[in-house]
Amino acid sequence: MTCRRGALIVLEGVDKAGKTTQCNKLIQALLENEQPAEMMRFPERTTMIGQLINSYLEKKSNLEDHTVHLLFSANRWEQVPLMKEKLEQGITLVVDRYAFSGVAFTSAKPGFTLDWCKNPDVGLPKPDLVMFLNVSPSEAARRGHFGTERYETSVFQRAVQQGFEELMKDSSVNWQVIGASRNIEDVHADIKNHTIEAITTAMTQPIGHLWK
Ligand code: NYM
């Protein structure tokens, strides 16, 4: 029996790289092509765990650094049954941030190794494609002011970029670097092409396990 599952597509990048805009445009394009698709985002702030994370990001509460890392991971795991259900129904999921943001952001803090940061996310559904929207942090800053949430400073974002660069050396993940300093339509065209290819490949393959 042919398994025609949906694909798990992730967009990553530093803050202000244009991920949310591009996720929305990609969903719209897929739906116009009669390809079932839904958007997800992490952190998913609506759950109980998501509310703890939201309050931390908005600086309304403080959480110990290891603890908040594990909460971000738990916030992904709690969505796994839903993600699998959708993928198995043939729905392609376009995800705004995933475990890679988790690792890149925490490992930008002093005292955290990449390995420690990856561990809680080992075994999550493996994305069929991860597109890294590449803009330099200084350019991201030029696009508009960072907000007032935690981590939204140029210095921190530079460290995050280095974390992503380390993660992209791992060839077990299907990374595509997208030059995201170009205009929105050109970036979208690239993203759409890579996604269509990934959907075709994923159709006949089981869902993999991340970093396993
Ligand atoms: N973030 C996001 C983390 O620190 N760890 C994670 O696992 C994830 C998914 O949350 N600055 C950070 C990155 C962002 C912030 O994301 C909220 P957004 O996309 O701005 O809502």
Side-chain angles (χ1 to χ4, degrees):
M1 194 181 77
T2 325
C3 158
R4 294 175 65 83
R5 68 170 175 93
L8 180 57
I9 308 292
V10 171
L11 270 73
E12 285 283 9
V14 296
D15 291 349
K16 296 272 172 200
K19 292 180 299 298
T20 308
T21 306
Q22 292 295 339
C23 282
N24 284 320
K25 282 186 76 69
L26 180 57
I27 290 283
Q28 201 186 331
L30 292 173
L31 293 178
E32 277 165 15
N33 276 348
E34 288 177 10
Q35 170 68 54
E38 290 181 21
M39 183 165 161
M40 293 184 84
R41 62 173 59 245
F42 291 108
E44 171 48 69
R45 301 188 194 217
T46 58
T47 66
M48 283 170 75
I49 294 169
Q51 284 167 32
L52 293 174
I53 293 171
N54 185 52
S55 155
Y56 170 80
L57 287 170
E58 291 182 347
K59 301 180 187 162
K60 290 181 180 151
S61 63
N62 285 318
L63 288 167
E64 192 275 332
D65 287 333
H66 300 77
T67 310
V68 76
H69 182 75
L70 297 173
L71 286 176
F72 272 111
S73 176
N75 184 237
R76 285 182 279 280
W77 280 106
E78 66 179 343
Q79 299 297 322
V80 167
L82 181 66
M83 292 170 75
K84 286 189 169 162
E85 196 182 303
K86 303 247 182 215
L87 291 170
E88 279 155 14
Q89 285 169 359
I91 299 169
T92 285
L93 296 177
V94 174
V95 186
D96 188 348
R97 297 189 189 279
Y98 199 49
F100 314 98
S101 275
V103 175
F105 277 77
T106 302
S107 67
K109 296 177 177 178
F112 284 88
T113 63
L114 226 55
D115 268 355
W116 188 91
C117 293
K118 282 164 82 173
N119 255 318
D121 285 314
V122 169
L124 277 176
K126 182 176 175 174
D128 297 292
L129 169 66
V130 188
M131 288 175 281
F132 181 74
L133 272 56
N134 197 29
V135 290
S136 69
S138 56
E139 188 170 324
R142 266 200 300 278
R143 289 190 170 185
H145 295 295
F146 285 122
T148 54
E149 285 201 336
R150 242 177 249 269
Y151 308 144
E152 294 184 334
T153 66
S154 299
V155 174
F156 196 81
Q157 298 288 320
R158 263 194 287 279
V160 171
Q161 172 91 12
Q162 281 170 10
F164 278 122
E165 281 167 13
E166 280 304 309
L167 288 171
M168 283 190 276
K169 291 178 184 165
D170 173 6
S171 59
S172 77
V173 173
N174 181 17
W175 285 101
Q176 289 291 339
V177 180
I178 308 288
S181 306
R182 297 168 300 157
N183 73 61
I184 291 179
E185 291 307 326
D186 289 353
V187 176
H188 169 64
D190 267 12
I191 288 178
K192 190 174 148 194
N193 289 340
H194 286 300
T195 300
I196 288 167
E197 200 180 313
I199 289 174
T200 312
T201 311
M203 250 179 212
T204 54
Q205 286 177 359
I207 304 165
H209 301 280
L210 181 62
W211 294 325
K212 235 180 174 175

